[in-house]
Each structure stands twice: as structure tokens, then as C-alpha cells.
Amino acid sequence: GAVVSQHPSWVICKSGTSVKIECRSLDFQATTMFWYRQFPKQSLMLMATSNEGSKATYEQGVEKDKFLINHASLTLSTLTVTSAHPEDSSFYICSARDVGRGYNEQFFGPGTRLTVL
Amino acid sequence: GQQVMQIPQYQHVQEGEDFTTYCNSSTTLSNIQWYKQRPGGHPVFLIQLVKSGEVKKQKRLTFQFGEAKKNSSLHITATQTTDVGTYFCAGSPSGGYNKLIFGAGTRLAVHP
């Protein structure tokens, strides 16, 4: 149980285009999901906390108009990188908490590797 | 802002040797979690520590949470090649159980 999927697993796009990444909790409900980005051999940097039915909470330094987050249902959160540029190339990972477990553990998706040309 | 420091950044060991990674937070944490990320993979939850001074064991892994709830350690006894990966600590700020602040991670290489 507690599986999180992400789609796509990788994407290559041209500079200036927008890219949408989906994060789904497959076998549990997630009122809260988290979006991270990870550069090679570096740690996970929390970008934002996505709450079902309300606006996302962005971390300091993360542009909310650049990284649009929507958490429309208890099993789906999306991250849209708008007008992507090469510096946005990174590994984007989502995670979700299974509130039904009463535990703070986060279950991570497999990640999406974004390359902007 | 809140920071979680983790050392060492990288550790080479011979199979059978012990390994320890340390985490230190700039502020008191409500809990600390440990994750392992294999090369090319995503972080996988190992354990959560909540109580001051808590010690938990999972086979060859021993996790500790400091008395002040600001530091933690992961110790692996008699490493095996399957222990290879990056170990991250992640702390929840005091007063909140929501977000996690990740340490930089310790990359463990085990030579047979």
C-alpha cells in the first residue's frame, strides 16, 4: 500500500513552453502533497505544500506564478512549470501523506526529470 | 530560515565496517525522519523519531534522537553492499507536523 505515482517520468521541452507534472496517490487519500526539486547529487528542496481544495503554500524564493500547483482531488496534485527555461531543468519529486495512517511519513513518487532545451 | 545540517557528505567504507551519519537542526524539531535514496531512485522512508532521547533499531540500523530534539544520528553496523545509497534526515519544525526540511544527505559507498 501507500503508492505514489508521477507522470511523466521524464520530459524534454523547448524553452518558453509549459510542462504539467501529475502526482497521484494510488491507494490512499492525500489531503496534503508536497513538491520538491532535486539537483544532481544534492538534497531535496521543498518547493511547496499542496493542500486539497485550497491554495498551495510556497516556500520562500519559489515563484508561485512560475510553478503553478493544483490539488483538485484527494488523490491528485499537479505542478505546472510555466514558460520553462533551461535553469528549470531538474528532478521534480512529489510526496504525499496518508492521513489515514495517523503518521507523518511521506510517500514519494518516482520523480519526473525535466530537461528544458 | 530553518536549516538541517548533515555530515558527512560522503563516506567510503569497506564491507563489514560501521557507518554513521549525523544531523543537526538549527531549531527544535517536533520529529525527525530518515530516508534512503538508491542511485536513480526516489527517497524511501526508513523511520520516524518523535520523543526526546528516543532510540530505535531496525536490524543493523540504529537511529537516535537527541535529548534537545535538535540532532539525530543513523548508525549502520557491519555494512553490506546493499546499504549503498544516500541517507537523508528530514526534520519537521517544532509546532508543526506538516512539512519536512531535508538535510543534504550522506552518500554511502560500500566496497566489497
Side-chain angles (χ1 to χ4, degrees), chain A residues 2 9-10 17 21 28 37-38 41 46 49 54 57-58 63 67 71-73 76 84-86 91 100 103-104 108 112:
Chain A
S9 55
W10 59 271
T17 59
I21 302 170
F28 65 98
R37 66 187 293 185
Q38 185 178 33
K41 297 182 180 179
L46 179 65
T49 302
S54 65
T57 304
Y58 290 82
E63 300 175 56
F67 299 99
H71 194 154
S73 79
L76 173 65
H85 287 96
F91 191 52
Y103 217 28
N104 197 33
F108 283 82
T112 297

Side-chain angles (χ1 to χ4, degrees), chain A residues 41-52:
Chain A
K41 297 182 180 179
Q42 292 190 25
S43 187
L44 286 80
M45 186 194 80
L46 179 65
M47 299 175 66
T49 302
S50 170
N51 300 298
E52 186 265 338

